[in-house]
Amino acid sequence: MALRAAVLRHIRLPVQTLTAAGSRPQPQWSFLRLFSSHDDHLTKEEVIDRVLDVVKSFPKVDPSKVTADVHFQKDLGLDSLDTVEIVMALEEEFKLEIPDKEADKIDSCNLAIEYIYNHPMAG
Amino acid sequence: MAFTLRSVKVPPNSASLEEARGRVFDFFRQACRSIPTIMDIYNLDDVVTKSQLRSTIASEIRKNTHVTNPKVIDMLLFKGMEELNNIVEHAKQRHHIIGQYVLGRQGLAQDLDTKDEGVSDFLKNFYKSNYF
């Protein structure tokens, strides 16, 4: 008992004084939600980079012609089967499953990037 | 039982070339989506990549682009579907897949070991064919 009192007398703890407006939450903790995947979306640059990589590594494509707004059939000279193949390669890269109706509409890099960026499950 | 469901659909009866075209793309997408399963079943991971298999499937489909009759296209699709079913339900074996879909123009893999290193170009060409 006496030891406890003696020890307690010698312990100093930093005392945090509350401001007059009351206690505010620490700013650095309010952005850290440990189990939330809400902010987990891909950034647009990352999507663009990965889409362009997939298109460039397609064997029939000339990598120097690939830009972000290139049209698969008009600019790269591919045919419709190649377009479907590129869409399937993008599905594999981003672990998505694109329904047929949407896949038929994807005709150029622009549309592909937009679709993937807006897809909530893009990985 | 998933593998039998693929063949149970009504046999395609396309009215027009456009419909047949749509079915070809559906078949292609179905085949591409089964590629991960196929690579897993036959342990093809160190032999070929998924994109190479996709290109092989596309070139097989492309061999028949000259066909204009929708019923002939339906028949070809039926055979393609049958082949895909056979592969996915493990009715084929690894060497079938490798021989038919992985190896290209050069056929079976050449085994080049130390005995061939000192061989001259003349002999190498000679072994391949008569005319060079």
Side-chain angles (χ1 to χ4, degrees):
Chain A
M1 208 41 205
L3 178 64
R4 182 166 159 246
V7 168
L8 283 176
R9 234 180 291 134
H10 285 94
I11 290 176
R12 291 279 175 266
L13 285 172
V15 173
Q16 271 178 331
T17 53
L18 295 175
T19 59
S23 59
R24 246 176 276 133
Q26 307 279 351
Q28 68 263 29
W29 296 111
S30 63
F31 292 131
L32 181 68
R33 300 187 312 183
L34 293 162
F35 291 107
S36 160
S37 64
H38 185 71
D39 306 316
D40 196 9
H41 300 305
L42 297 174
T43 60
K44 192 99 189 238
E45 299 89 41
E46 205 184 332
V47 172
I48 294 180
D49 281 335
R50 282 165 73 180
V51 168
L52 289 184
D53 277 338
V54 166
V55 178
K56 280 180 195 167
S57 56
F58 194 65
K60 291 191 185 172
V61 161
D62 181 11
S64 55
K65 287 190 191 162
V66 175
T67 62
D69 50 357
V70 84
H71 193 276
F72 296 142
Q73 297 190 17
K74 293 185 202 143
D75 296 327
L76 295 176
L78 303 174
D79 70 354
S80 48
L81 192 63
D82 289 323
T83 310
V84 178
E85 200 178 329
I86 287 187
V87 171
M88 294 305 299
L90 289 171
E91 267 192 34
E92 182 201 329
E93 168 73 18
F94 290 97
K95 302 186 193 63
L96 294 175
E97 187 146 331
I98 306 180
D100 292 344
K101 280 195 171 178
E102 304 292 323
D104 282 335
K105 291 183 206 153
I106 296 184
D107 243 348
S108 66
C109 273
N110 272 339
L111 294 172
I113 291 170
E114 247 185 75
Y115 183 84
I116 293 172
Y117 184 62
N118 293 331
H119 201 293
M121 301 276 293
Chain B
M1 293 301 280
F3 52 85
T4 52
L5 286 176
R6 268 191 234 256
S7 50
V8 169
K9 289 196 190 100
V10 173
N13 201 346
S14 313
S16 68
L17 208 54
E18 283 308 308
E19 199 183 330
R21 209 178 131 90
R23 282 194 214 264
V24 170
F25 291 151
D26 288 340
F27 168 70
F28 180 64
R29 284 193 201 111
Q30 205 174 349
C32 285
R33 284 183 186 137
S34 335
I35 286 180
T37 313
I38 294 172
M39 298 203 50
D40 186 43
I41 294 176
Y42 297 98
N43 297 325
L44 296 172
D45 288 316
D46 35 0
V47 181
V48 76
T49 66
K50 290 187 181 113
S51 66
Q52 281 171 318
L53 277 180
R54 269 199 292 270
S55 303
T56 313
I57 299 177
S59 54
E60 293 283 322
I61 292 179
R62 222 179 281 275
K63 280 184 195 165
N64 294 316
T65 41
H66 53 86
V67 177
T68 51
N69 187 355
K71 296 214 192 313
V72 175
I73 296 180
D74 286 343
M75 191 272 294
L76 291 168
L77 278 179
F78 184 79
K79 290 175 68 91
M81 207 59 221
E82 184 186 16
E83 177 80 7
L84 181 63
N85 278 337
N86 281 341
I87 293 177
V88 169
E89 62 187 27
H90 212 331
K92 293 205 161 203
Q93 289 168 338
R94 191 168 184 254
H95 65 278
H96 295 124
I97 311 293
I98 292 182
Q100 290 168 0
Y101 298 106
V102 174
L103 294 178
R105 291 288 104 205
Q106 77 266 24
L108 295 173
Q110 324 282 349
D111 54 338
L112 295 163
D113 52 4
T114 47
K115 67 171 161 58
D116 290 330
E117 258 167 39
V119 167
S120 65
D121 283 332
F122 173 79
L123 272 182
K124 281 190 187 136
N125 288 335
F126 182 71
Y127 291 147
K128 264 192 238 157
S129 80
N130 278 337
Y131 308 103
F132 54 86

Short mmCIF file of all heavy atoms in Angstrom, two decimals, chain A residues 26-81:
data_model
loop_
_atom_site.label_atom_id
_atom_site.label_comp_id
_atom_site.label_asym_id
_atom_site.label_seq_id
_atom_site.Cartn_x
_atom_site.Cartn_y
_atom_site.Cartn_z
N GLN A 26 -9.04 13.55 -33.39
CA GLN A 26 -7.72 13.72 -33.99
C GLN A 26 -7.86 13.66 -35.50
O GLN A 26 -8.42 12.73 -36.01
CB GLN A 26 -6.80 12.59 -33.54
CG GLN A 26 -6.71 12.42 -32.06
CD GLN A 26 -5.75 13.41 -31.44
OE1 GLN A 26 -5.04 14.09 -32.16
NE2 GLN A 26 -5.75 13.49 -30.13
N PRO A 27 -7.32 14.61 -36.24
CA PRO A 27 -7.51 14.58 -37.69
C PRO A 27 -6.90 13.37 -38.36
O PRO A 27 -7.42 12.89 -39.34
CB PRO A 27 -6.83 15.87 -38.19
CG PRO A 27 -6.28 16.54 -36.99
CD PRO A 27 -6.65 15.80 -35.77
N GLN A 28 -5.80 12.85 -37.82
CA GLN A 28 -5.18 11.76 -38.57
C GLN A 28 -5.93 10.45 -38.43
O GLN A 28 -5.73 9.55 -39.20
CB GLN A 28 -3.73 11.56 -38.16
CG GLN A 28 -3.52 11.04 -36.76
CD GLN A 28 -3.23 12.18 -35.81
OE1 GLN A 28 -3.67 13.30 -36.04
NE2 GLN A 28 -2.50 11.89 -34.75
N TRP A 29 -6.82 10.30 -37.48
CA TRP A 29 -7.52 9.04 -37.35
C TRP A 29 -8.82 9.02 -38.14
O TRP A 29 -9.34 7.97 -38.43
CB TRP A 29 -7.86 8.76 -35.88
CG TRP A 29 -6.64 8.58 -35.06
CD1 TRP A 29 -6.17 9.41 -34.11
CD2 TRP A 29 -5.71 7.50 -35.16
NE1 TRP A 29 -5.01 8.93 -33.59
CE2 TRP A 29 -4.69 7.76 -34.22
CE3 TRP A 29 -5.64 6.34 -35.95
CZ2 TRP A 29 -3.63 6.90 -34.03
CZ3 TRP A 29 -4.57 5.49 -35.76
CH2 TRP A 29 -3.58 5.77 -34.81
N SER A 30 -9.35 10.18 -38.51
CA SER A 30 -10.68 10.14 -39.12
C SER A 30 -10.62 9.62 -40.54
O SER A 30 -11.63 9.22 -41.09
CB SER A 30 -11.31 11.52 -39.11
OG SER A 30 -10.52 12.37 -39.91
N PHE A 31 -9.42 9.58 -41.17
CA PHE A 31 -9.35 9.03 -42.52
C PHE A 31 -8.99 7.57 -42.54
O PHE A 31 -8.88 6.97 -43.58
CB PHE A 31 -8.33 9.80 -43.35
CG PHE A 31 -8.76 11.20 -43.62
CD1 PHE A 31 -7.90 12.25 -43.39
CD2 PHE A 31 -10.04 11.46 -44.09
CE1 PHE A 31 -8.30 13.55 -43.63
CE2 PHE A 31 -10.43 12.76 -44.33
CZ PHE A 31 -9.56 13.79 -44.10
N LEU A 32 -8.75 6.99 -41.37
CA LEU A 32 -8.28 5.61 -41.36
C LEU A 32 -9.41 4.73 -40.89
O LEU A 32 -9.63 4.59 -39.70
CB LEU A 32 -7.07 5.49 -40.42
CG LEU A 32 -6.45 4.11 -40.31
CD1 LEU A 32 -5.82 3.74 -41.62
CD2 LEU A 32 -5.43 4.09 -39.21
N ARG A 33 -10.15 4.17 -41.84
CA ARG A 33 -11.20 3.23 -41.45
C ARG A 33 -10.68 1.86 -41.85
O ARG A 33 -10.59 1.53 -43.02
CB ARG A 33 -12.49 3.58 -42.19
CG ARG A 33 -12.91 4.99 -41.83
CD ARG A 33 -14.23 5.34 -42.35
NE ARG A 33 -14.38 5.01 -43.75
CZ ARG A 33 -15.47 5.28 -44.44
NH1 ARG A 33 -16.45 5.91 -43.86
NH2 ARG A 33 -15.58 4.94 -45.70
N LEU A 34 -10.33 1.09 -40.84
CA LEU A 34 -9.51 -0.08 -41.12
C LEU A 34 -10.19 -1.13 -41.96
O LEU A 34 -9.55 -1.81 -42.73
CB LEU A 34 -9.03 -0.70 -39.81
CG LEU A 34 -8.08 0.21 -39.05
CD1 LEU A 34 -7.99 -0.21 -37.61
CD2 LEU A 34 -6.72 0.16 -39.69
N PHE A 35 -11.48 -1.33 -41.83
CA PHE A 35 -12.11 -2.43 -42.56
C PHE A 35 -12.93 -1.95 -43.75
O PHE A 35 -13.70 -2.69 -44.29
CB PHE A 35 -13.01 -3.23 -41.62
CG PHE A 35 -12.23 -3.99 -40.62
CD1 PHE A 35 -12.19 -3.59 -39.30
CD2 PHE A 35 -11.49 -5.10 -41.00
CE1 PHE A 35 -11.45 -4.28 -38.38
CE2 PHE A 35 -10.76 -5.80 -40.09
CZ PHE A 35 -10.73 -5.39 -38.76
N SER A 36 -12.77 -0.71 -44.14
CA SER A 36 -13.61 -0.20 -45.21
C SER A 36 -12.87 -0.28 -46.54
O SER A 36 -11.71 0.10 -46.65
CB SER A 36 -13.97 1.24 -44.92
OG SER A 36 -14.36 1.88 -46.10
N SER A 37 -13.58 -0.77 -47.55
CA SER A 37 -12.97 -0.77 -48.88
C SER A 37 -13.59 0.30 -49.76
O SER A 37 -13.57 0.22 -50.97
CB SER A 37 -13.16 -2.14 -49.53
OG SER A 37 -14.54 -2.36 -49.73
N HIS A 38 -14.16 1.30 -49.09
CA HIS A 38 -14.90 2.30 -49.85
C HIS A 38 -13.99 3.14 -50.73
O HIS A 38 -14.37 3.58 -51.79
CB HIS A 38 -15.64 3.21 -48.86
CG HIS A 38 -16.53 4.19 -49.51
ND1 HIS A 38 -17.70 3.84 -50.12
CD2 HIS A 38 -16.42 5.52 -49.67
CE1 HIS A 38 -18.27 4.92 -50.62
NE2 HIS A 38 -17.53 5.95 -50.37
N ASP A 39 -12.77 3.38 -50.24
CA ASP A 39 -11.86 4.24 -51.00
C ASP A 39 -10.93 3.43 -51.87
O ASP A 39 -9.90 3.91 -52.29
CB ASP A 39 -11.00 5.06 -50.03
CG ASP A 39 -11.87 5.82 -49.07
OD1 ASP A 39 -12.87 6.39 -49.52
OD2 ASP A 39 -11.56 5.82 -47.87
N ASP A 40 -11.32 2.16 -52.12
CA ASP A 40 -10.38 1.22 -52.71
C ASP A 40 -10.38 1.26 -54.24
O ASP A 40 -9.87 0.36 -54.88
CB ASP A 40 -10.75 -0.19 -52.23
CG ASP A 40 -9.65 -1.15 -52.46
OD1 ASP A 40 -8.55 -0.71 -52.82
OD2 ASP A 40 -9.88 -2.36 -52.31
N HIS A 41 -11.03 2.25 -54.86
CA HIS A 41 -11.13 2.22 -56.31
C HIS A 41 -9.80 2.46 -56.97
O HIS A 41 -8.91 3.10 -56.40
CB HIS A 41 -12.10 3.31 -56.78
CG HIS A 41 -13.47 3.14 -56.21
ND1 HIS A 41 -14.18 2.00 -56.35
CD2 HIS A 41 -14.23 3.98 -55.50
CE1 HIS A 41 -15.35 2.14 -55.74
NE2 HIS A 41 -15.39 3.33 -55.21
N LEU A 42 -9.67 2.00 -58.19
CA LEU A 42 -8.46 2.27 -58.96
C LEU A 42 -8.46 3.71 -59.40
O LEU A 42 -9.48 4.29 -59.69
CB LEU A 42 -8.45 1.38 -60.21
CG LEU A 42 -8.40 -0.11 -59.98
CD1 LEU A 42 -8.56 -0.82 -61.31
CD2 LEU A 42 -7.09 -0.49 -59.38
N THR A 43 -7.26 4.28 -59.46
CA THR A 43 -7.17 5.65 -59.97
C THR A 43 -7.22 5.61 -61.49
O THR A 43 -6.91 4.60 -62.11
CB THR A 43 -5.86 6.30 -59.54
OG1 THR A 43 -4.80 5.51 -60.06
CG2 THR A 43 -5.76 6.38 -58.04
N LYS A 44 -7.61 6.76 -62.05
CA LYS A 44 -7.78 6.80 -63.50
C LYS A 44 -6.47 6.53 -64.23
O LYS A 44 -6.44 5.86 -65.25
CB LYS A 44 -8.34 8.17 -63.89
CG LYS A 44 -8.84 8.27 -65.29
CD LYS A 44 -10.35 8.13 -65.33
CE LYS A 44 -10.83 8.01 -66.76
NZ LYS A 44 -11.79 9.02 -67.13
N GLU A 45 -5.36 7.05 -63.68
CA GLU A 45 -4.07 6.83 -64.37
C GLU A 45 -3.72 5.36 -64.36
O GLU A 45 -3.18 4.85 -65.34
CB GLU A 45 -2.93 7.59 -63.69
CG GLU A 45 -3.08 9.09 -63.64
CD GLU A 45 -3.83 9.49 -62.40
OE1 GLU A 45 -3.56 8.90 -61.34
OE2 GLU A 45 -4.70 10.36 -62.52
N GLU A 46 -4.03 4.71 -63.24
CA GLU A 46 -3.70 3.28 -63.17
C GLU A 46 -4.52 2.50 -64.19
O GLU A 46 -4.01 1.63 -64.88
CB GLU A 46 -4.01 2.78 -61.76
CG GLU A 46 -3.20 1.57 -61.38
CD GLU A 46 -3.60 1.05 -60.02
OE1 GLU A 46 -4.07 1.87 -59.19
OE2 GLU A 46 -3.48 -0.15 -59.81
N VAL A 47 -5.80 2.86 -64.29
CA VAL A 47 -6.66 2.17 -65.26
C VAL A 47 -6.12 2.39 -66.67
O VAL A 47 -5.99 1.46 -67.46
CB VAL A 47 -8.11 2.68 -65.16
CG1 VAL A 47 -8.95 2.13 -66.28
CG2 VAL A 47 -8.72 2.27 -63.85
N ILE A 48 -5.78 3.65 -66.97
CA ILE A 48 -5.29 3.97 -68.32
C ILE A 48 -4.01 3.19 -68.61
O ILE A 48 -3.85 2.59 -69.67
CB ILE A 48 -5.04 5.48 -68.46
CG1 ILE A 48 -6.36 6.24 -68.39
CG2 ILE A 48 -4.36 5.79 -69.78
CD1 ILE A 48 -6.21 7.74 -68.51
N ASP A 49 -3.09 3.18 -67.62
CA ASP A 49 -1.82 2.47 -67.85
C ASP A 49 -2.04 1.00 -68.11
O ASP A 49 -1.47 0.43 -69.05
CB ASP A 49 -0.93 2.61 -66.60
CG ASP A 49 -0.26 3.96 -66.56
OD1 ASP A 49 -0.11 4.55 -67.64
OD2 ASP A 49 0.08 4.42 -65.46
N ARG A 50 -2.88 0.38 -67.27
CA ARG A 50 -3.05 -1.06 -67.43
C ARG A 50 -3.77 -1.40 -68.72
O ARG A 50 -3.45 -2.36 -69.40
CB ARG A 50 -3.80 -1.63 -66.22
CG ARG A 50 -2.89 -1.78 -65.03
CD ARG A 50 -3.65 -1.98 -63.76
NE ARG A 50 -4.22 -3.32 -63.71
CZ ARG A 50 -4.94 -3.75 -62.68
NH1 ARG A 50 -5.15 -2.96 -61.66
NH2 ARG A 50 -5.44 -4.96 -62.69
N VAL A 51 -4.78 -0.57 -69.09
CA VAL A 51 -5.49 -0.84 -70.35
C VAL A 51 -4.53 -0.71 -71.53
O VAL A 51 -4.51 -1.55 -72.44
CB VAL A 51 -6.69 0.12 -70.50
CG1 VAL A 51 -7.24 0.07 -71.90
CG2 VAL A 51 -7.77 -0.22 -69.51
N LEU A 52 -3.70 0.33 -71.51
CA LEU A 52 -2.77 0.50 -72.63
C LEU A 52 -1.75 -0.63 -72.68
O LEU A 52 -1.36 -1.07 -73.77
CB LEU A 52 -2.05 1.84 -72.53
CG LEU A 52 -2.94 3.05 -72.81
CD1 LEU A 52 -2.14 4.32 -72.79
CD2 LEU A 52 -3.63 2.92 -74.14
N ASP A 53 -1.34 -1.12 -71.52
CA ASP A 53 -0.41 -2.26 -71.52
C ASP A 53 -1.03 -3.48 -72.15
O ASP A 53 -0.40 -4.18 -72.95
CB ASP A 53 -0.03 -2.63 -70.07
CG ASP A 53 1.08 -1.74 -69.58
OD1 ASP A 53 1.79 -1.18 -70.44
OD2 ASP A 53 1.23 -1.60 -68.36
N VAL A 54 -2.31 -3.74 -71.80
CA VAL A 54 -2.97 -4.90 -72.37
C VAL A 54 -3.08 -4.76 -73.89
O VAL A 54 -2.79 -5.69 -74.64
CB VAL A 54 -4.38 -5.08 -71.75
CG1 VAL A 54 -5.19 -6.05 -72.57
CG2 VAL A 54 -4.27 -5.58 -70.34
N VAL A 55 -3.45 -3.57 -74.34
CA VAL A 55 -3.61 -3.38 -75.79
C VAL A 55 -2.27 -3.49 -76.49
O VAL A 55 -2.14 -4.07 -77.57
CB VAL A 55 -4.28 -2.03 -76.09
CG1 VAL A 55 -4.40 -1.83 -77.58
CG2 VAL A 55 -5.66 -1.97 -75.47
N LYS A 56 -1.22 -2.94 -75.86
CA LYS A 56 0.09 -2.99 -76.52
C LYS A 56 0.63 -4.39 -76.60
O LYS A 56 1.38 -4.72 -77.52
CB LYS A 56 1.10 -2.11 -75.76
CG LYS A 56 0.97 -0.66 -76.07
CD LYS A 56 1.99 0.14 -75.28
CE LYS A 56 1.59 1.59 -75.32
NZ LYS A 56 2.33 2.41 -74.36
N SER A 57 0.31 -5.24 -75.61
CA SER A 57 0.88 -6.58 -75.65
C SER A 57 0.08 -7.52 -76.52
O SER A 57 0.40 -8.70 -76.61
CB SER A 57 0.99 -7.14 -74.24
OG SER A 57 -0.26 -7.11 -73.62
N PHE A 58 -0.95 -7.01 -77.17
CA PHE A 58 -1.71 -7.84 -78.11
C PHE A 58 -0.84 -8.06 -79.33
O PHE A 58 -0.30 -7.11 -79.88
CB PHE A 58 -2.99 -7.10 -78.48
CG PHE A 58 -4.00 -7.94 -79.15
CD1 PHE A 58 -4.59 -9.00 -78.49
CD2 PHE A 58 -4.38 -7.67 -80.44
CE1 PHE A 58 -5.53 -9.77 -79.12
CE2 PHE A 58 -5.32 -8.44 -81.07
CZ PHE A 58 -5.91 -9.49 -80.42
N PRO A 59 -0.66 -9.33 -79.77
CA PRO A 59 0.34 -9.58 -80.81
C PRO A 59 0.11 -8.88 -82.14
O PRO A 59 1.05 -8.59 -82.85
CB PRO A 59 0.28 -11.11 -80.98
CG PRO A 59 -0.92 -11.56 -80.28
CD PRO A 59 -1.27 -10.57 -79.26
N LYS A 60 -1.16 -8.59 -82.46
CA LYS A 60 -1.38 -7.98 -83.77
C LYS A 60 -1.27 -6.48 -83.77
O LYS A 60 -1.53 -5.84 -84.79
CB LYS A 60 -2.78 -8.33 -84.26
CG LYS A 60 -2.92 -9.76 -84.58
CD LYS A 60 -4.23 -9.99 -85.29
CE LYS A 60 -4.41 -11.46 -85.49
NZ LYS A 60 -5.71 -11.76 -85.99
N VAL A 61 -0.97 -5.91 -82.62
CA VAL A 61 -1.03 -4.46 -82.51
C VAL A 61 0.38 -3.88 -82.54
O VAL A 61 1.29 -4.42 -81.92
CB VAL A 61 -1.76 -4.08 -81.21
CG1 VAL A 61 -1.46 -2.67 -80.81
CG2 VAL A 61 -3.23 -4.28 -81.38
N ASP A 62 0.54 -2.77 -83.22
CA ASP A 62 1.80 -2.05 -83.24
C ASP A 62 1.85 -1.14 -82.02
O ASP A 62 1.06 -0.19 -81.94
CB ASP A 62 1.85 -1.25 -84.54
CG ASP A 62 3.13 -0.46 -84.68
OD1 ASP A 62 4.06 -0.71 -83.88
OD2 ASP A 62 3.21 0.37 -85.58
N PRO A 63 2.73 -1.39 -81.05
CA PRO A 63 2.66 -0.64 -79.78
C PRO A 63 2.84 0.86 -79.94
O PRO A 63 2.34 1.62 -79.13
CB PRO A 63 3.80 -1.23 -78.95
CG PRO A 63 4.17 -2.49 -79.59
CD PRO A 63 3.80 -2.42 -81.02
N SER A 64 3.53 1.29 -80.99
CA SER A 64 3.78 2.73 -81.10
C SER A 64 2.51 3.48 -81.48
O SER A 64 2.43 4.68 -81.29
CB SER A 64 4.87 2.99 -82.12
OG SER A 64 4.50 2.39 -83.36
N LYS A 65 1.51 2.76 -82.02
CA LYS A 65 0.31 3.49 -82.44
C LYS A 65 -0.71 3.60 -81.33
O LYS A 65 -1.76 4.20 -81.52
CB LYS A 65 -0.36 2.74 -83.59
CG LYS A 65 0.35 2.83 -84.88
CD LYS A 65 -0.54 2.27 -85.98
CE LYS A 65 0.26 2.11 -87.23
NZ LYS A 65 -0.39 1.22 -88.18
N VAL A 66 -0.46 2.96 -80.21
CA VAL A 66 -1.49 2.87 -79.19
C VAL A 66 -1.47 4.12 -78.31
O VAL A 66 -0.48 4.42 -77.66
CB VAL A 66 -1.26 1.62 -78.31
CG1 VAL A 66 -2.24 1.58 -77.18
CG2 VAL A 66 -1.40 0.39 -79.16
N THR A 67 -2.59 4.83 -78.31
CA THR A 67 -2.75 5.93 -77.36
C THR A 67 -4.08 5.71 -76.65
O THR A 67 -4.76 4.74 -76.90
CB THR A 67 -2.80 7.29 -78.08
OG1 THR A 67 -3.93 7.28 -78.95
CG2 THR A 67 -1.55 7.53 -78.87
N ALA A 68 -4.43 6.66 -75.80
CA ALA A 68 -5.61 6.42 -74.98
C ALA A 68 -6.92 6.60 -75.74
O ALA A 68 -7.96 6.21 -75.26
CB ALA A 68 -5.60 7.33 -73.76
N ASP A 69 -6.88 7.20 -76.92
CA ASP A 69 -8.16 7.39 -77.60
C ASP A 69 -8.15 6.70 -78.96
O ASP A 69 -8.72 7.17 -79.92
CB ASP A 69 -8.48 8.87 -77.75
CG ASP A 69 -7.31 9.63 -78.35
OD1 ASP A 69 -6.26 8.99 -78.58
OD2 ASP A 69 -7.42 10.83 -78.55
N VAL A 70 -7.46 5.58 -79.02
CA VAL A 70 -7.34 4.89 -80.30
C VAL A 70 -8.55 3.97 -80.49
O VAL A 70 -9.06 3.39 -79.53
CB VAL A 70 -6.01 4.13 -80.31
CG1 VAL A 70 -6.13 2.80 -79.64
CG2 VAL A 70 -5.45 3.99 -81.68
N HIS A 71 -9.02 3.86 -81.72
CA HIS A 71 -10.18 3.01 -82.03
C HIS A 71 -9.64 1.68 -82.54
O HIS A 71 -8.78 1.65 -83.40
CB HIS A 71 -11.03 3.69 -83.09
CG HIS A 71 -12.37 3.06 -83.25
ND1 HIS A 71 -12.59 1.96 -84.04
CD2 HIS A 71 -13.57 3.38 -82.72
CE1 HIS A 71 -13.86 1.63 -83.99
NE2 HIS A 71 -14.48 2.47 -83.20
N PHE A 72 -10.15 0.58 -82.02
CA PHE A 72 -9.54 -0.71 -82.35
C PHE A 72 -9.63 -1.03 -83.82
O PHE A 72 -8.69 -1.49 -84.43
CB PHE A 72 -10.19 -1.84 -81.55
CG PHE A 72 -10.00 -1.73 -80.08
CD1 PHE A 72 -11.02 -2.06 -79.22
CD2 PHE A 72 -8.81 -1.30 -79.54
CE1 PHE A 72 -10.85 -1.98 -77.85
CE2 PHE A 72 -8.63 -1.20 -78.18
CZ PHE A 72 -9.66 -1.54 -77.33
N GLN A 73 -10.83 -0.79 -84.40
CA GLN A 73 -10.97 -1.21 -85.79
C GLN A 73 -10.49 -0.15 -86.76
O GLN A 73 -9.88 -0.46 -87.77
CB GLN A 73 -12.42 -1.58 -86.08
CG GLN A 73 -12.83 -2.76 -85.23
CD GLN A 73 -14.15 -3.34 -85.62
OE1 GLN A 73 -14.64 -3.09 -86.71
NE2 GLN A 73 -14.74 -4.10 -84.75
N LYS A 74 -10.75 1.13 -86.42
CA LYS A 74 -10.39 2.16 -87.40
C LYS A 74 -8.90 2.48 -87.35
O LYS A 74 -8.25 2.61 -88.37
CB LYS A 74 -11.17 3.43 -87.14
CG LYS A 74 -12.63 3.26 -87.40
CD LYS A 74 -13.37 4.58 -87.26
CE LYS A 74 -14.84 4.32 -87.00
NZ LYS A 74 -15.43 5.26 -86.06
N ASP A 75 -8.35 2.63 -86.12
CA ASP A 75 -6.96 3.09 -86.05
C ASP A 75 -5.96 1.96 -86.05
O ASP A 75 -4.87 2.08 -86.57
CB ASP A 75 -6.74 3.93 -84.79
CG ASP A 75 -7.55 5.19 -84.81
OD1 ASP A 75 -7.75 5.71 -85.91
OD2 ASP A 75 -8.00 5.62 -83.74
N LEU A 76 -6.32 0.84 -85.40
CA LEU A 76 -5.34 -0.23 -85.27
C LEU A 76 -5.52 -1.30 -86.32
O LEU A 76 -4.74 -2.24 -86.37
CB LEU A 76 -5.43 -0.85 -83.87
CG LEU A 76 -5.06 0.08 -82.73
CD1 LEU A 76 -5.29 -0.62 -81.40
CD2 LEU A 76 -3.61 0.48 -82.83
N GLY A 77 -6.56 -1.19 -87.13
CA GLY A 77 -6.74 -2.15 -88.20
C GLY A 77 -7.09 -3.55 -87.76
O GLY A 77 -6.77 -4.52 -88.42
N LEU A 78 -7.78 -3.67 -86.61
CA LEU A 78 -8.17 -5.00 -86.16
C LEU A 78 -9.57 -5.30 -86.64
O LEU A 78 -10.32 -4.40 -87.00
CB LEU A 78 -8.16 -5.04 -84.63
CG LEU A 78 -6.85 -4.67 -83.97
CD1 LEU A 78 -7.02 -4.61 -82.48
CD2 LEU A 78 -5.79 -5.68 -84.31
N ASP A 79 -9.97 -6.56 -86.59
CA ASP A 79 -11.36 -6.83 -86.97
C ASP A 79 -12.18 -7.15 -85.72
O ASP A 79 -11.69 -7.08 -84.60
CB ASP A 79 -11.42 -7.95 -88.02
CG ASP A 79 -11.06 -9.29 -87.44
OD1 ASP A 79 -10.66 -9.37 -86.28
OD2 ASP A 79 -11.16 -10.29 -88.18
N SER A 80 -13.45 -7.50 -85.95
CA SER A 80 -14.35 -7.59 -84.80
C SER A 80 -13.95 -8.70 -83.83
O SER A 80 -14.13 -8.57 -82.61
CB SER A 80 -15.79 -7.78 -85.27
OG SER A 80 -15.82 -8.81 -86.23
N LEU A 81 -13.41 -9.79 -84.38
CA LEU A 81 -12.98 -10.88 -83.49
C LEU A 81 -11.82 -10.42 -82.61
O LEU A 81 -11.74 -10.77 -81.43
CB LEU A 81 -12.59 -12.10 -84.32
CG LEU A 81 -12.40 -13.39 -83.55
CD1 LEU A 81 -13.70 -13.81 -82.92
CD2 LEU A 81 -11.90 -14.47 -84.47
#
